[in-house]
C-alpha cells in the first residue's frame, strides 16, 4: 500500500470486523514465520518464541470466533487477555499488555479512526515499555513498535516499513533487557525475535487496511456500474 493510498483512507471508520481481520492476518503471519521466529530465538533466547506465539494466536482466533466482540476495543482487550493466559515466557504478558491497553484506550466505540488507533497503540506501547523496563535501543520488541507507532500517523504502509526497519536494526545492537541480555556482547549480530514478531503484527495491520480499501473501491466501482450512464439505477443509454 502506498502512502498516498493510505492517506486517502485516513478518515475511515474502523469497526470490529477490521480488527478481527487484523488479528486473523497476524495469526496467519505467525503460522508462516513460526520456524524463523524460533530460529532467531534459539540464538539469543529460549528457542520457543515462534511456537509460543503460534499457540497464542491460534487461541486468540478461536476465542474471537466464539465470542465475536462487537467493538474494536473489545476485540483487542479479549485478544490481549487470551495471549496472557495462553502464551508462556515474556511474550504473553508483553503482547497481551500491548493489546489490552490499546483496547481499553479505544473504549466501547463501535468504530474508531486510524488516528484513534494510533493513540491507543501508543498507550499500549508505553505500557509494554513500563512492564519490561525497556526502551528503544535495548534490542527488544520496542525497537519495532515505537517507530511503527510514530509512522502510523503518516500511513499504515509507513508503519509497516518502520517496524520492519526497526527489527532489522536490532542486529548490531547488544541486548540490555530480557534473556538475551545475559549473553552480553554475544547478543550482537542477531536479530531480535520480539522485534521481528512485532513487525509481523504491524505488517498484518497494513495488509488488512490495504485489503479493506481494495474491497471498498471494488464496491464503489460496482455501484457506479450498476447506476448506469445517467447515474440512475438500472438506467440505459
Amino acid at each position: 500500500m502506498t502512502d498516498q493510498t493510505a492517506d486517502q483512507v485516513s478518515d475511515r471508520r474502523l469497526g470490529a470486523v477490521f480488527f478481527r481481520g487484523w488479528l486473523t492476518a497476524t495469526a496467519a503471519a505467525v503460522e508462516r514465520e513460526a520456524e524463523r521466529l524460533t530460529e532467531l530465538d534459539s540464538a539469543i533466547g529460549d528457542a520457543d518464541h515462534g511456537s509460543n506465539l503460534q499457540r497464542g494466536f491460534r487461541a486468540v482466533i478461536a476465542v474471537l470466533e466464539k465470542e465475536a466482540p462487537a467493538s474494536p476495543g473489545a476485540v483487542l482487550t479479549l485478544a490481549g487477555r487470551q495471549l496472557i493466559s495462553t502464551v508462556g515466557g515474556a511474550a504473553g504478558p508483553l503482547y497481551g499488555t500491548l493489546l489490552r491497553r490499546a483496547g481499553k484506550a479505544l473504549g466501547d466505540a463501535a468504530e474508531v479512526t486510524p488516528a484513534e488507533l494510533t493513540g491507543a497503540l501508543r498507550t499500549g506501547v508505553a505500557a509494554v515499555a513500563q512492564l519490561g523496563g525497556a526502551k528503544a535501543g535495548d534490542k527488544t520488541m520496542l525497537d519495532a513498535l515505537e517507530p511503527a507507532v510514530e509512522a502510523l500517523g503518516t500511513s499504515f504502509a509507513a508503519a509497516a516499513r518502520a517496524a520492519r526497519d526497526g527489527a532489522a536494526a536490532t542486529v548490531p545492537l547488544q541486548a540490555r533487557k530480557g534473556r538475551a541480555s545475559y549473553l552480553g556482547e554475544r547478543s550482537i549480530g542477531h536479530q531480535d525475535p520480539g522485534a521481528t514478531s512485532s513487525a509481523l503484527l504491524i505488517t498484518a495491520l497494513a495488509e488488512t487496511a490495504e485489503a479493506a480499501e481494495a474491497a471498498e473501491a471494488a464496491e464503489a466501482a460496482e455501484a457506479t456500474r450498476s447506476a448506469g450512464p445517467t447515474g440512475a439505477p438500472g438506467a440505459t443509454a
Side-chain angles (χ1 to χ4, degrees):
M1 175 167 48
T2 65
D3 288 348
Q4 182 179 7
T5 298
D7 289 340
Q8 292 171 351
V9 297
S10 61
D11 59 349
R12 173 191 289 148
R13 305 298 298 184
L14 308 173
V17 171
F18 177 91
F19 281 77
R20 291 198 297 270
W22 171 25
L23 294 178
T24 298
T26 301
V30 169
E31 289 287 342
R32 292 193 305 269
E33 299 294 329
E35 184 175 346
R36 176 173 176 247
L37 293 174
T38 293
E39 287 176 357
L40 292 174
D41 198 33
S42 67
I44 57 175
D46 293 326
D48 60 2
H49 190 61
S51 58
N52 277 344
L53 285 186
Q54 194 174 40
R55 181 174 63 254
F57 275 97
R58 284 175 180 174
V60 165
I61 298 308
V63 75
L64 289 177
E65 290 177 349
K66 179 181 179 181
E67 300 192 19
S71 69
V75 170
L76 294 186
T77 302
L78 179 60
R81 286 203 307 264
Q82 191 66 27
L83 288 174
I84 290 172
S85 65
T86 305
V87 180
L94 291 171
Y95 271 104
T97 293
L98 172 67
L99 297 182
R100 275 208 320 172
R101 292 295 183 87
K104 289 182 178 180
L106 291 176
D108 298 326
E111 295 180 324
V112 300
T113 65
E116 289 167 335
L117 171 58
T118 299
L121 286 176
R122 185 173 287 113
T123 297
V125 170
V128 168
Q130 183 177 26
L131 178 64
K135 61 183 183 300
D138 284 343
K139 200 181 183 92
T140 71
M141 61 196 296
L142 293 175
D143 289 301
L145 290 176
E146 288 194 356
V149 170
E150 291 307 311
L152 189 55
T154 300
S155 73
F156 290 106
R161 285 196 301 273
R164 292 192 295 267
D165 290 346
T170 63
V171 173
L173 298 179
Q174 178 175 330
R176 303 193 182 281
K177 292 293 178 180
R179 183 174 178 80
S181 65
Y182 302 155
L183 298 177
E185 293 183 355
R186 287 181 294 160
S187 64
I188 297 173
H190 301 282
Q191 186 163 314
D192 182 67
T196 304
S197 59
S198 294
L200 294 179
L201 176 75
I202 301 301
T203 297
L205 173 61
E207 291 172 347
T208 302
E210 182 176 19
E213 191 211 359
E216 291 172 2
E219 290 176 3
E222 179 60 29
T224 299
R225 285 193 296 270
S226 299
T230 66
T236 59

